[in-house]
Amino acid sequence: MKEKEEIRILYMDDDPGLGRLFQKKLSQMGEIVVAGNGQEGLSRYREEKYDVLVIDYQMPGLDGLQVLRKLVDGGSVPPVIMLTGAGNEETAVEAMKMGATDYIVKDIDGKYFQLLPLVMNEAIKRFRFAEEKKRMQKELERYANELERSNKELEQFAYVVSHDLKEPLHTIRGFAKFLEESYQDKLDEQGNEFMGYIIDGTSRMERLISGLLDYSRVTFKNSDPEPVNCNELVEQVIRDLKATIDLRNAKVTFDPLPTITGKERLLLRVFQNLIDNGLKYCRNELPKVHISAEEDGKMWRFSIKDNGIGINPKHAERIFFIFQRLHNRNEFSGDGLGLAICRKIIENHKGKIWVESNQGEGSTFYFTIPKGE
Ligand code: ADP
């Protein structure tokens, strides 16, 4: 709280002497309004705004707790300090449960008056801090909802666009193929060459559109997480890649891996893409990929390490975006979708994915997945 800030205090006590004393002793704190009973206190409260309320528990008519109940039922309340009698801890506990910020025991020699400014300032500080926190949380929630909404919209857009584009593209490719087959002799060499380009281009576009459709469909939605044994996933990937592994004289090894919670079908794709890339982006005579996992607080951190061509660190983020490639297709085949799909799957599982690498020194891809006990 800023120094010398004027605050407004509403004091409720049926003892007029104490009311006057309160006003006199604490006048330096700000403006003090005294109410002689609970009912009057409530009407004063409704008339104006206060920074803090000090309520005596023992009042005829409505007692302190009843006043507090009415205040709380009426909505958000400023900080309330309950004045209780000595040996009346139960009332104090009750008051705190109902939403009072603090309580102070009223002793006969009036020492509590000395404590009150400190307790009030502290209560106001705590209250403002809590209000600010609430405001920030709401703001954060708003941003998160907005982000989710725009992500969904984007997903929907990608789905619709890719779905609708497929149809006309099919027609173009079909007729181009027909022209190539039926009019081959009528076209000269250059005409046939151009026809080849059209067919290649449309096939590639079809692949990209299918990829985009695939990307927009990769989602966790409408499915419950299940236990996934990562050893089995990696074994399956190794079986699926056997032909490539044999052909490239490669080695894929792994440490004992944990069972995690997630969507098996999707996590399989992550291992598939990362292991496949490890073998693909390698000019080494003996490509090697090693998979391991370590505990990292509440997460499992997996690593997929290769001895391939490596990645310039300046591209470390870019490669996780859709259609981003660092290589020409003549050099290494691919459409730049694998890592974007991995990122989407891992983020859907509330994890993170990144790469650590230097050009020519191999790469290690990491991803985390919550342990999810
Ligand atoms: P694709 O392999 O189809 O091109 P990815 O999204 O899987 O698509 O990869 C994006 C780009 O990241 C690749 O084109 C390649 O340049 C780079 N990359 C991915 N994995 C590796 C790796 N293990 N080593 C070196 N470069 C890699």
Side-chain angles (χ1 to χ4, degrees), residues 18 21 25 86 105-115:
L18 283 180
L21 197 64
K25 290 215 170 189
V105 178
K106 238 174 156 185
D107 48 11
I108 342 162
D109 51 6
K111 269 201 213 121
Y112 69 97
F113 262 110
Q114 287 161 21
L115 278 175

Side-chain angles (χ1 to χ4, degrees), residues 77-127:
V77 188
V80 172
I81 292 153
M82 188 66 70
L83 299 178
T84 66
N88 222 344
E89 278 72 22
E90 271 172 32
T91 313
V93 171
E94 190 62 20
M96 299 291 281
K97 271 195 206 150
M98 278 168 61
T101 321
D102 212 340
Y103 72 94
I104 193 162
V105 178
K106 238 174 156 185
D107 48 11
I108 342 162
D109 51 6
K111 269 201 213 121
Y112 69 97
F113 262 110
Q114 287 161 21
L115 278 175
L116 261 171
L118 192 74
V119 174
M120 282 196 288
N121 277 330
E122 202 46 46
I124 294 172
K125 235 195 259 174
R126 278 215 312 261
F127 176 79

Side-chain angles (χ1 to χ4, degrees), residues 277 280-281 306 311 319 324-327 334-336 338-339:
N277 278 352
K280 180 164 71 169
Y281 295 103
D306 64 50
I311 296 165
I319 53 171
Q324 293 295 320
R325 307 201 68 224
L326 306 179
H327 301 94
D335 293 317
L339 291 179

Side-chain angles (χ1 to χ4, degrees), residues 126-293:
R126 278 215 312 261
F127 176 79
R128 288 186 182 167
F129 181 72
E131 288 289 293
E132 182 59 15
K133 203 167 133 191
K134 260 194 254 166
R135 196 190 59 75
M136 278 163 73
Q137 253 160 1
K138 264 202 194 138
E139 188 85 333
L140 214 65
E141 258 168 50
R142 202 176 60 75
Y143 278 132
N145 288 340
E146 180 64 17
L147 200 69
E148 199 183 313
R149 194 193 55 75
S150 75
N151 273 347
K152 270 198 191 131
E153 228 173 69
L154 213 65
E155 229 166 65
Q156 188 79 11
F157 176 74
Y159 179 81
V160 170
V161 167
S162 41
H163 189 263
D164 291 2
L165 281 182
K166 269 191 137 177
E167 197 65 29
L169 202 61
H170 248 63
T171 315
I172 297 175
R173 199 161 94 94
F175 278 100
K177 268 230 138 322
F178 173 75
L179 276 178
E180 189 195 37
E181 278 158 22
S182 313
Y183 289 77
Q184 206 171 24
D185 336 327
K186 298 200 175 71
L187 292 173
D188 62 10
E189 201 182 323
Q190 205 175 35
N192 274 309
E193 191 189 330
F194 290 169
M195 193 57 70
Y197 291 148
I198 294 176
I199 291 169
D200 275 1
T202 43
S203 314
R204 179 159 153 64
M205 201 154 161
E206 259 178 354
R207 267 208 330 276
L208 292 180
I209 286 175
S210 295
L212 192 60
L213 201 58
D214 184 21
Y215 176 80
S216 70
R217 277 181 184 150
V218 171
T219 162
F220 217 3
K221 257 185 274 168
N222 308 327
S223 54
D224 288 330
E226 57 207 3
V228 182
N229 182 334
C230 295
N231 298 295
E232 288 170 11
L233 287 196
V234 172
E235 277 162 10
Q236 185 175 335
V237 176
I238 295 176
R239 273 199 303 276
D240 295 346
L241 291 174
K242 188 170 181 324
T244 316
I245 295 174
D246 289 350
L247 189 77
R248 299 285 317 271
N249 219 357
K251 259 207 168 94
V252 180
T253 50
F254 61 102
D255 293 338
L257 301 173
T259 292
I260 54 177
T261 310
K263 200 76 212 137
E264 187 173 274
R265 179 178 52 85
L266 300 179
L267 292 165
L268 178 71
R269 290 192 71 172
V270 172
F271 283 110
Q272 258 164 358
N273 282 330
L274 296 178
I275 297 172
D276 192 29
N277 278 352
L279 298 174
K280 180 164 71 169
Y281 295 103
C282 186
R283 294 200 181 96
N284 203 302
E285 300 270 287
L286 301 165
K288 277 188 201 156
V289 176
H290 183 74
I291 304 111
S292 57

